Amino acid sequence: MSPDGCKTEWDEIGCWLRAEVGHVVNVSCSEVFQHFSSNQGFVYRNCTIEGWSEMYPPYAEACAFSDDSEPESETSYLYTFRQVYTVGYATSLISLITAIVVFMAFRKFRCTRNYIHINLFSSFVLRASAVFIKDAVLFADENLDHCLMSTTACKSAVAFFQFSILANYFWLLVEGMYLQTLLALTFVSQRKYFWWYILIGWGLPSTVLILWVLTRFFYDNRGCWDDTDNVGIWWIIKGPITASLLVNIVIFINVIRILVQKLKSSAMAGNNDTGHFMRLAKSTLFLIPLFGMHYTVFAFLPENTGVAARLYIELGLGSFQGFVVALLYCFMNGEVQTELRRWLWRCHNQNHLTPAKRSITQITIRTSGGLRRPPSSGNISSV
């Protein structure tokens, strides 16, 4: 007898959430078998005073499959997709760490702009690490009942994952704010704003996460906290992310407006500097991955909308976003390329000189007043 209702139950295929006596609960075939069955049928169960009733109709009837071998193709599909985003996040992780080392190793790159880039890179590193940690904790044993799994380890992994997502969005916002300030307030020192940027990039995500963790712990402490069934609680996470996206869209439009005004002013002054125009055009193109515009497609839609498309964009394409950001803001930066070529040139010359010639070279350098620079190609301006 279950007078208090039916408890959450896993039937080896679908998860039946807790229900009150007298309620009829349904599970959609499109949710359970979304990648290999287009059937829009439902499986139902009644919550009675004696517990859950038998399913009607059975999965085999409600969710008709065109091919008996397709469940295996579902497993193969998910395995392949997991490999793709694992490669993507691994590539991003390596490139981002390398970019951070480059910015930190050379004194020339120690400025407010690059410090903000380093924090953005760090948020992407956290995001990639959080995905690997979450997968390791939640899917370490494929035989576990994920519907009823509720451990401190899995909740901590999901909370860390949510923090990395929040930090990533807010540092994208900081990059947008910094760029707008740089263009609009040319003669204002950016250093005095840096700690405000730190507060926004790390402080706000920490505050939001603490609020979300406390709310889940006291009001919805079930499972591994990786569900979005309670819409009100989920909006504690989704609300700030959505707000940051809206602000970034406004900033994006405003930056485009400022760039157009600068181009018009340059044209009216009779300045036909094509290099200046190209740098502005490149800066505009750099804004697209910077503001994470592709996430806005699903930001305002319900979580169960376009699940397959979400997987492709947020995990498949999103896993390589860190690599693209590192490429644009570090490895394609003309200053970085020139400095790395100079460093490699010095290392090459030092390795091929004998100790005696090295001493003579150093004396010559002091006498001439500097080391001859290697030829370098034109810079690609960064934002």
Side-chain angles (χ1 to χ4, degrees):
M1 306 287 284
S2 303
D4 295 330
C6 302
K7 296 182 179 179
T8 299
E9 183 176 297
W10 173 254
D11 66 0
E12 305 300 330
I13 295 179
C15 185
W16 298 86
L17 299 178
R18 184 185 180 280
E20 300 294 331
V21 174
H23 285 191
V24 179
V25 180
N26 65 71
V27 171
S28 170
C29 293
S30 61
E31 292 181 7
V32 179
F33 306 109
Q34 57 182 300
H35 296 299
F36 62 96
S37 175
S38 58
N39 192 300
Q40 297 300 315
F42 290 88
V43 177
Y44 299 88
R45 294 181 79 176
N46 296 327
C47 179
T48 69
I49 196 171
E50 296 180 354
W52 287 109
S53 68
E54 293 295 323
M55 289 176 285
Y56 63 92
Y59 284 115
E61 296 179 13
C63 310
F65 307 120
S66 58
D67 189 347
D68 292 338
S69 65
E70 283 189 335
E72 294 183 6
S73 67
E74 162 74 355
T75 304
S76 176
Y77 165 82
L78 293 175
Y79 176 76
T80 302
F81 187 75
R82 187 173 176 182
Q83 284 185 317
V84 169
Y85 77 71
T86 298
V87 170
Y89 279 119
T91 304
S92 294
L93 200 59
I94 294 170
S95 59
L96 289 163
I97 292 174
T98 304
I100 291 172
V101 170
V102 169
F103 277 147
M104 295 298 292
F106 294 94
R107 187 182 298 274
K108 182 178 180 179
F109 300 138
R110 296 175 188 174
C111 60
T112 303
R113 178 192 63 185
N114 289 334
Y115 288 152
I116 291 175
H117 289 343
I118 288 171
N119 280 280
L120 175 65
F121 294 165
S122 300
S123 72
F124 276 106
V125 168
L126 283 183
R127 185 170 185 161
S129 303
V131 170
F132 292 139
I133 293 171
K134 185 166 72 74
D135 282 358
V137 174
L138 266 63
F139 306 113
D141 185 356
E142 296 295 337
N143 296 320
L144 283 176
D145 186 345
H146 299 296
C147 181
L148 299 177
M149 183 180 179
S150 182
T151 64
T152 302
C154 76
K155 291 174 182 177
S156 300
V158 171
F160 177 59
F161 175 74
Q162 298 293 0
F163 173 76
S164 70
I165 297 291
L166 285 163
N168 200 204
Y169 277 107
F170 276 97
W171 274 107
L172 288 170
L173 174 62
V174 168
E175 285 277 3
M177 294 170 62
Y178 171 77
L179 180 61
Q180 178 175 253
T181 306
L182 198 65
L183 291 172
L185 306 175
T186 308
F187 301 105
V188 175
S189 173
Q190 298 296 324
R191 188 177 293 274
K192 69 177 183 179
Y193 293 110
F194 182 70
W195 291 109
W196 285 106
Y197 294 146
I198 292 291
L199 185 63
I200 294 171
W202 297 117
L204 286 181
S206 300
T207 303
V208 172
L209 184 78
I210 291 172
L211 178 62
W212 179 76
V213 168
L214 292 175
T215 306
R216 289 234 48 162
F217 181 77
F218 288 108
Y219 298 102
D220 193 16
N221 190 21
R222 58 187 174 84
C224 284
W225 297 358
D226 58 340
D227 62 272
T228 58
D229 298 333
N230 192 318
V231 178
I233 294 178
W234 175 235
W235 267 93
I236 296 176
I237 296 288
K238 189 175 180 179
I241 290 175
T242 304
S244 72
L245 285 171
L246 288 172
V247 174
N248 254 342
I249 290 172
V250 174
I251 291 175
F252 178 82
I253 296 171
N254 193 43
V255 166
I256 297 295
R257 181 184 61 82
I258 294 174
L259 290 177
V260 170
Q261 287 179 348
K262 288 183 179 291
L263 284 174
K264 287 182 178 179
S265 300
S266 179
M268 290 178 65
N271 185 1
N272 295 321
D273 182 11
T274 56
H276 179 63
F277 173 79
M278 289 301 296
R279 286 195 294 272
L280 289 174
K282 288 171 184 173
S283 298
T284 304
L285 292 175
F286 287 172
L287 295 178
I288 297 172
L290 174 65
F291 293 146
M293 298 298 285
H294 63 281
Y295 286 115
T296 61
V297 177
F298 296 107
F300 309 104
L301 298 176
E303 290 301 312
N304 58 353
T305 302
V307 176
R310 283 176 185 270
L311 285 175
Y312 285 120
I313 293 177
E314 296 188 6
L315 283 178
L317 298 178
S319 64
F320 288 95
Q321 191 186 24
F323 167 72
V324 173
V325 169
L327 190 68
L328 292 176
Y329 294 99
C330 181
F331 304 122
M332 288 181 65
N333 185 312
E335 295 177 16
V336 173
Q337 291 176 351
T338 302
E339 197 66 25
L340 287 176
R341 277 197 299 268
R342 193 175 298 162
W343 176 73
L344 289 172
W345 184 80
R346 284 199 297 262
C347 291
H348 176 77
N349 283 354
Q350 290 295 321
N351 290 335
H352 284 78
L353 289 175
T354 62
K357 289 183 178 180
R358 194 173 299 158
S359 300
I360 295 172
T361 303
Q362 290 172 351
I363 293 171
T364 305
I365 291 171
R366 294 193 193 99
T367 304
S368 62
L371 182 66
R372 185 177 53 143
R373 296 183 180 179
S376 61
S377 58
N379 287 353
I380 301 174
S381 178
S382 64
V383 178

